[in-house]
């Protein structure tokens, strides 16, 4: 795929990604200021409060941004369950709210620290003079101390703004659209144009906001009204222009969700194209984790996405038995509707199963054909997996069934996992049966004689909001049974290969054109 087309796609997504990023960043910064400034003012007058406040804000900064975002998910999930049972409505545990809470906390330290430092550093003789002319403690604070400390306070706000804008790119995995969607999608599909575009867009936004805040700082210090007017006009213009595309989305815009790998991006584009054909407007929420996207669907934050029967069977239903492929599909469909109001619109026609894979030459040399054969060599081997597998029930089922114990376990982004196997960095990987790189690299898939792994049919799931919408379900119906394993492997390879690489969007449209209208 030529770089010109990739740049066009990147620019096409900019209005949506930028507006969501700006909304999140501005709201988090505003909330952070509303909390931090009063706390800082109180802390200046109270040493007992000052120490704990700065310590708390400092501890928050030591937590990696992505981890802090993820920590709010289980907390909000518990709160959602409580509010649902207590007052009849649930608090959203995904998307905007967890990202907002994490970024608000991230913004607090520089504002707290700079405000306290600025006020504490004022010459005591100035404060004595203020008292000498009859000012109260609070009059001295508002009329004398704050104006003198303003340059340092604004510097803290500038630092907080840059931190928030940068950290907001990490909100994609918890379901919040941002400029980070470029980066996460680009890393998964090795689309370096997207990665570069996302980084530059976030850096440019941070730079523009920082320079406008610097103009505010200069205007306050020099008491220049025209600079202040110019700065606030510029801030308002940037925010308004960024948020404008959000108002184009109507309440009935369908949200198509995807997980964080190439096949999902392809299928997301395919679903969008089918909806577009029937006049249904849609937007995307990409790069979500398995549990996150399922909860988003249950809460109507996502309206449709493709999952895999084995994932629902093990992760959500917590089933360990494997009654057969058809029984798994039937029981999964019934459970989804009964417990969550989610409709399984049907299976797409192919299976993307977890499987252990080795280089064919090494498997042949060791005479390893099955996972049972592998068990004897595992203690001397290194295994690579994706970011989820080693924490999933399927992995524990494999260990229990075959007694697997590897010398080293490593985790990779999916593309790099295959390369690690071919380079010898690992001996075995947890592959995906619909991945085109299995054939490309001539890998040996090991059989599962004990049937420890469930079937993984690709299934269309529809949110409770649209579960009984006949026109919506009719738009998706042509996809049911339309894709076989070979077709999906070929589609995935078009995205994953290094030469003549295609974008998931292009491949999704190509698949759509092969399916009857």
């Amino acid at each position: 795929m030529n770089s010109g087309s990739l740049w066009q796609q990147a620019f096409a997504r900019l209005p949506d990604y930028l507006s969501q990023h700006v909304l999140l960043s501005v709201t988090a910064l505003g909330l952070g200021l509303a909390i931090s400034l009063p706390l800082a003012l109180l802390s200046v007058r109270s040493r007992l409060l000052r120490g704990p406040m700065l310590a708390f804000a400092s501890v928050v900064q030591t937590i990696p941004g992505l981890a802090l975002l993820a920590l709010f998910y289980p907390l909000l999930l518990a709160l959602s369950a409580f509010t649902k049972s207590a007052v009849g409505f649930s608090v959203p545990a995904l998307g905007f709210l967890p990202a907002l809470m994490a970024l608000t906390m991230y913004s607090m330290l520089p504002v707290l620290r700079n405000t306290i430092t600025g006020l504490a550093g004022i010459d005591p003789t100035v404060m004595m003079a203020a008292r000498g002319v009859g000012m109260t403690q609070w009059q001295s604070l508002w009329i004398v101390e704050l104006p003198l400390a303003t340059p340092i306070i604004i510097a803290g706000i500038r630092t907080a703004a840059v931190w928030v804008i940068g950290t907001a790119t990490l909100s994609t995995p918890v379901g919040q659209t941002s400029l980070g969607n470029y980066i996460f999608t680009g890393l998964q599909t090795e689309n370096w144009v997207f990665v570069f575009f996302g980084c530059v867009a976030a850096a440019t936004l941070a730079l523009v906001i920082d320079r406008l805040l610097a103009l505010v700082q200069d205007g306050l210090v020099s008491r220049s009204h025209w600079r202040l007017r110019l700065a606030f006009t510029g801030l308002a213009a940037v925010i308004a222009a960024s948020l404008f595309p959000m108002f184009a989305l109507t309440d009935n815009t369908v949200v198509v969700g995807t997980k964080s790998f190439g096949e999902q991006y392809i299928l997301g584009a395919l679903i969008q194209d089918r909806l577009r054909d029937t006049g249904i407007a849609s937007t995307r929420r990409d790069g979500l984790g398995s549990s996150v996207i399922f909860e988003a669907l249950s809460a109507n934050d996502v309206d449709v996405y493709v999952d895999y029967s084995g994932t629902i069977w093990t992760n959500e239903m917590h089933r360990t038995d494997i009654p057969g492929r058809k029984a798994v599909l039937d029981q999964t469909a019934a459970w989804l509707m009964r417990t969550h109001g989610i409709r399984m619109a049907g299976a797409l026609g192919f299976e993307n199963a977890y499987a252990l894979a080795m280089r064919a030459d090494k498997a042949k040399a060791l005479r390893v054909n099955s996972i049972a054969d592998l068990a004897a060599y595992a203690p001397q081997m290194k295994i690579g997996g994706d970011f989820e597998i080693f924490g999933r029930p399927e992995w524990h089922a494999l260990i229990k069934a075959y007694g697997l114990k590897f010398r080293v376990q490593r985790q990779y982004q999916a593309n790099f996992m295959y390369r690690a196997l071919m380079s010898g960095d690992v001996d075995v990987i947890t592959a995906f049966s619909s991945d085109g790189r299995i054939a490309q690299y001539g890998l040996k898939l090991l059989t599962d004689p004990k049937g420890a792994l469930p079937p993984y049919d690709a299934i269309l799931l529809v949110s409770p909001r649209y579960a009984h919408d006949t026109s919506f379900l009719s738009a998706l119906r042509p996809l049911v049974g339309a894709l076989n394993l070979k077709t999906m492997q070929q589609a995935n390879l078009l995205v994953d290969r290094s030469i003549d690489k295609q974008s998931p969007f292009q491949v999704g449209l190509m698949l759509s054109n092969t399916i009857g209208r």
Side-chain angles (χ1 to χ4, degrees):
M1 180 180 184
N2 63 66
S3 60
S5 179
L6 291 174
W7 284 106
Q8 289 175 0
Q9 289 182 35
F11 276 107
R13 300 185 185 194
L14 183 60
D16 181 35
Y17 291 177
L18 180 61
S19 62
Q20 297 280 355
H21 196 106
V22 169
L23 177 63
L24 175 62
S25 300
V26 169
T27 307
L29 184 60
L31 191 55
L33 292 176
I35 296 171
S36 299
L37 288 174
L39 286 176
L41 296 180
L42 291 173
S43 298
V44 169
R45 300 293 190 243
S46 172
R47 290 185 178 274
L48 290 177
L49 183 61
R50 185 187 311 174
M53 283 297 99
L54 286 174
F56 169 75
S58 298
V59 167
V60 169
Q61 289 297 322
T62 66
I63 303 173
L66 191 56
L68 188 63
L69 287 159
L71 284 172
F72 278 104
Y73 169 66
L75 293 176
L76 288 172
L77 203 59
L79 179 61
S80 179
F82 172 76
T83 57
K84 182 70 173 178
S85 60
V87 294
F89 71 90
S90 57
V91 175
L94 300 161
F96 187 79
L97 188 55
L100 174 63
M101 295 174 70
L103 292 174
T104 297
M105 293 178 67
Y106 239 67
S107 71
M108 291 176 63
L109 176 61
V111 179
L112 276 171
R113 185 176 56 201
N114 279 41
T115 302
I116 292 172
T117 300
L119 291 172
I122 294 175
D123 189 339
T125 59
V126 174
M127 299 171 63
M128 290 176 62
R131 299 285 178 85
V133 297
M135 290 186 184
T136 65
Q137 188 177 41
W138 288 102
Q139 284 176 327
S140 173
L141 175 65
W142 288 104
I143 298 174
V144 177
E145 297 170 51
L146 277 176
L148 291 174
T150 292
I152 298 177
I153 295 173
I154 296 294
I157 295 172
R158 289 172 61 187
T159 300
V162 171
W163 282 5
V164 166
I165 291 171
T167 307
T169 59
L170 300 176
S171 62
T172 297
V174 296
Q176 172 59 32
T177 300
S178 72
L179 293 171
N181 283 49
Y182 286 117
I183 299 169
F184 282 91
T185 302
L187 287 173
Q188 292 294 337
T189 60
E190 295 188 75
N191 181 343
W192 307 121
V193 169
F194 268 35
V195 174
F196 178 77
F197 193 94
C199 292
V200 170
T204 301
L205 176 63
L207 182 62
V208 169
I209 296 298
D210 179 68
R211 296 318 304 160
L212 288 171
L213 289 174
L215 192 58
V216 172
Q217 184 177 354
D218 291 343
L220 289 172
V221 171
S222 63
R223 301 179 184 273
S224 171
H225 295 294
W226 75 266
R227 288 185 180 179
L228 289 174
R229 284 195 294 269
L230 180 61
F232 286 117
T233 300
L235 286 169
V238 170
I239 294 170
S242 301
L243 295 181
F244 179 77
M246 292 186 62
F247 297 105
L249 295 177
T250 61
D251 291 337
N252 60 352
T253 299
V254 170
V255 179
V256 179
T258 70
K259 299 186 185 185
S260 58
F261 54 96
E263 178 174 289
Q264 284 278 305
Y265 300 139
I266 294 171
L267 295 174
L270 171 61
I271 292 170
Q272 275 198 295
D273 190 60
R274 305 308 295 195
L275 294 176
R276 188 183 303 112
D277 277 351
T278 57
I280 299 175
S282 66
T283 187
R284 289 273 288 278
R285 184 169 288 183
D286 290 326
L288 306 179
S290 291
S291 297
V292 170
I293 196 170
F294 182 79
E295 293 295 338
L297 188 79
S298 300
N300 292 310
D301 291 329
V302 165
D303 295 309
V304 58
Y305 81 100
V306 175
D307 213 320
Y308 305 92
S309 56
T311 299
I312 302 297
W313 186 260
T314 56
N315 284 18
E316 307 302 334
M317 298 172 66
H318 306 294
R319 295 281 293 268
T320 56
D321 59 314
I322 305 176
R325 189 172 182 178
K326 186 177 185 304
V328 167
L329 279 173
D330 292 342
Q331 292 179 40
T332 297
W335 180 85
L336 287 168
M337 180 57 73
R338 183 177 68 253
T339 60
H340 294 277
I342 294 171
R343 179 175 295 278
M344 191 179 88
L348 298 183
F350 72 93
E351 187 182 7
N352 185 2
Y354 269 116
L356 298 190
M358 295 179 65
R359 285 174 47 174
D361 57 346
K362 186 162 189 174
K364 183 177 180 180
L366 297 176
R367 297 183 180 179
V368 173
N369 295 299
S370 69
I371 302 174
D373 298 334
L374 178 68
Y377 297 97
Q380 290 81 46
M381 288 184 166
K382 295 173 287 186
I383 185 170
D386 63 17
F387 295 133
E388 292 186 14
I389 183 60
F390 297 128
R392 288 173 64 116
E394 297 97 316
W395 178 247
H396 299 298
L398 278 178
I399 292 174
K400 182 178 179 180
Y402 296 101
L404 295 174
K405 188 175 182 181
F406 289 90
R407 180 167 63 88
V408 175
Q409 283 185 185
R410 292 177 179 166
Q411 292 176 289
Y412 299 89
Q413 183 266 340
N415 288 346
F416 300 140
M417 181 176 69
Y418 285 89
R419 293 183 181 180
L421 178 64
M422 297 309 296
S423 68
D425 191 46
V426 293
D427 305 294
V428 186
I429 61 170
T430 57
F432 310 101
S433 61
S434 64
D435 201 316
R437 287 166 293 198
I438 293 173
Q440 180 187 17
Y441 296 133
L443 303 184
K444 171 73 173 179
L445 291 184
L446 307 184
T447 60
D448 176 19
K450 296 184 179 181
L453 294 170
Y456 288 87
D457 286 284
I459 51 178
L460 268 172
L461 301 186
V462 177
S463 67
R465 175 167 55 180
Y466 288 100
H468 302 286
D469 187 320
T470 54
S471 61
F472 184 76
L473 296 173
S474 295
L476 298 175
R477 192 167 296 121
L479 299 178
V480 176
L483 301 173
N484 58 38
L485 180 60
K486 184 178 180 181
T487 298
M488 200 67 236
Q489 286 176 334
Q490 292 172 340
N492 284 329
L493 185 57
L494 290 175
V495 172
D496 296 328
R497 66 190 182 186
S498 300
I499 301 174
D500 296 328
K501 177 191 262 315
Q502 303 293 307
S503 75
F505 176 77
Q506 281 185 315
V507 176
L509 294 183
M510 289 168 55
L511 282 182
S512 183
N513 290 331
T514 65
I515 298 171
R517 300 286 172 173

